[in-house]
Amino acid sequence: MKPNLCAALLFLCSSLAVAQAPAAPASPQGGDSPQIKQAQQLNSEGKFEEALAVLDQVLAVSPQDYEANLTSGIVLDMQGDFGKARGYLQKAIDVAPAARQVQALRTMAVSYAFECDLPQVAKYEQQAYDSQMKNQKFTDAAGTANELARIYLECGDTPEASKWYQTGYDTAMRQPNLSEADHDLWQFRWENAKARIAAREGKPKQADADVAAAKVALDKSKNADQQRFYPYLTGYVAFYAGNYKSAIEELQKADQKDPFILVLLAQAYEKLGNQAEATKLYRQILIINAHTPSNAFARPIAQKNLGTAR
């Protein structure tokens, strides 16, 4: 073969190989980037502007980066800039890998929970629930249903809360080969939910009966991790029954890192005239920068009482 012909064939083969090669991978997803981790740490420390500056650097290079868009939305929610936050969160939904789609949808739902915009919360939680049901992830879907139910409850819509807690329980029961312990766990969650709904509806006797049923299910499950939710339940029921001293005693046994526990405690202290302790707790809430339903309920109340709402 002549040298010139050989060179031409080699060039042609290498060109075809390049044309058929897969595209270069997108920027890292899932928070593996040191810059994303740095921004998340800054957000947890309340250094929102610094976190956004880091994220802006990432997005300047990779505007389609899922984690950078998601984290930007979260940081902006913590700042109270909800409109701008949802622009980034919608972008995260649009570019989310299949495995992260539900996370993006539920993060958007929590964003709307800060303002109790229930139609929008339901829109995104429903999409997440439908996706999980389509993939027969019944336990995950049950958790999404319960999240939506809790948002309805704390935003004051008890009928929808009841409907979605029932949906969560029924969905969990569809899980194939559900163990007896897991069945008892979901029974506890269902009785827990019914007690809180009854408390919010001003039905203390029904609430007490549901608390007793929840305790039976909890003891039967022998689930040590769930024990911490029981004083939260009893404190919650006592609070809405107007038994503020009992509420404080019970809630002090619950998770003191949960902003919703702290906001119930703060409000109970206020009811008893102890504004100093309430203020201390409201300030404690505002250093918690988790993007969760608990914080979506607690943070606006704390900001309002401290006069720091945006």
Side-chain angles (χ1 to χ4, degrees):
M1 184 180 292
K2 294 182 179 180
N4 288 344
L5 179 59
C6 181
L9 286 171
L10 285 171
F11 175 79
L12 178 61
C13 290
S14 63
S15 298
L16 287 171
V18 170
Q20 294 172 7
S27 59
Q29 305 289 344
D32 292 332
S33 161
Q35 287 174 292
I36 297 297
K37 289 183 178 180
Q38 181 187 9
Q40 291 169 341
Q41 180 62 36
L42 289 167
N43 177 68
S44 72
E45 296 169 0
K47 299 175 181 177
F48 305 129
E49 293 298 337
E50 292 178 45
L52 290 171
V54 173
L55 293 165
D56 285 345
Q57 293 174 10
V58 177
L59 291 169
V61 176
S62 304
Q64 305 294 313
D65 188 287
Y66 166 74
E67 199 73 36
N69 279 287
L70 189 80
T71 307
S72 295
I74 288 170
V75 175
L76 288 161
D77 271 345
M78 291 298 102
Q79 285 189 308
D81 194 347
F82 302 119
K84 190 172 181 180
R86 288 162 197 157
Y88 285 98
L89 294 178
Q90 185 58 56
K91 183 68 173 180
I93 291 170
D94 294 341
V95 302
R100 307 297 294 278
Q101 189 74 30
V102 165
Q103 178 193 35
L105 291 166
R106 291 177 67 175
T107 302
M108 179 71 95
V110 171
S111 177
Y112 280 107
F114 278 92
E115 297 182 299
C116 278
D117 187 339
L118 292 175
Q120 291 297 320
V121 170
K123 172 184 173 181
Y124 291 98
E125 295 280 18
Q126 181 77 62
Q127 290 179 53
Y129 176 81
D130 290 345
S131 174
Q132 290 165 324
M133 289 297 288
K134 181 180 178 181
N135 292 306
Q136 297 188 335
K137 294 182 177 181
F138 298 117
T139 301
D140 291 347
T144 297
N146 276 15
E147 180 173 88
L148 175 55
R150 188 183 180 200
I151 295 170
Y152 271 123
L153 179 62
E154 299 311 328
C155 291
D157 190 336
T158 54
E160 284 297 312
S162 181
K163 168 190 163 184
W164 277 98
Y165 273 125
Q166 179 75 68
T167 297
Y169 177 77
D170 292 343
T171 300
M173 293 303 103
R174 293 183 60 181
Q175 181 68 34
N177 303 317
L178 190 70
S179 70
E180 184 177 352
D182 283 339
H183 181 279
D184 293 335
L185 170 61
W186 281 99
Q187 189 66 41
F188 167 65
R189 288 171 174 166
W190 176 222
E191 299 295 347
N192 183 319
K194 288 194 291 184
R196 285 179 287 120
I197 290 167
R200 293 298 294 266
E201 291 179 337
K203 301 173 182 176
K205 290 184 178 179
Q206 182 61 53
D208 288 342
D210 291 327
V211 168
K215 185 66 164 65
V216 170
L218 180 61
D219 290 345
K220 188 180 177 185
S221 74
K222 296 182 173 63
N223 190 321
D225 185 60
Q226 293 296 310
Q227 294 291 334
R228 60 195 173 96
F229 293 108
Y230 186 70
Y232 155 60
L233 172 61
T234 54
Y236 187 106
V237 169
F239 177 85
Y240 282 101
N243 300 325
Y244 302 118
K245 184 177 179 181
S246 294
I248 290 169
E249 290 173 356
E250 292 301 304
L251 291 168
Q252 285 177 333
K253 303 172 190 174
D255 183 359
Q256 300 303 292
K257 294 181 180 179
D258 184 326
F260 189 66
I261 302 293
L262 299 181
V263 84
L264 287 176
L265 270 170
Q267 291 174 104
Y269 276 116
E270 279 187 318
K271 294 291 187 180
L272 294 177
N274 190 339
Q275 189 60 51
E277 191 63 29
T279 298
K280 176 182 173 182
L281 288 164
Y282 286 136
R283 287 174 177 159
Q284 191 174 337
I285 290 164
L286 293 187
I287 64 173
I288 300 172
N289 298 307
H291 197 266
T292 62
S294 287
N295 217 13
F297 309 139
R299 195 177 185 88
I301 294 172
Q303 289 173 324
K304 181 179 178 180
N305 280 275
L306 295 174
T308 60
R310 181 166 178 142

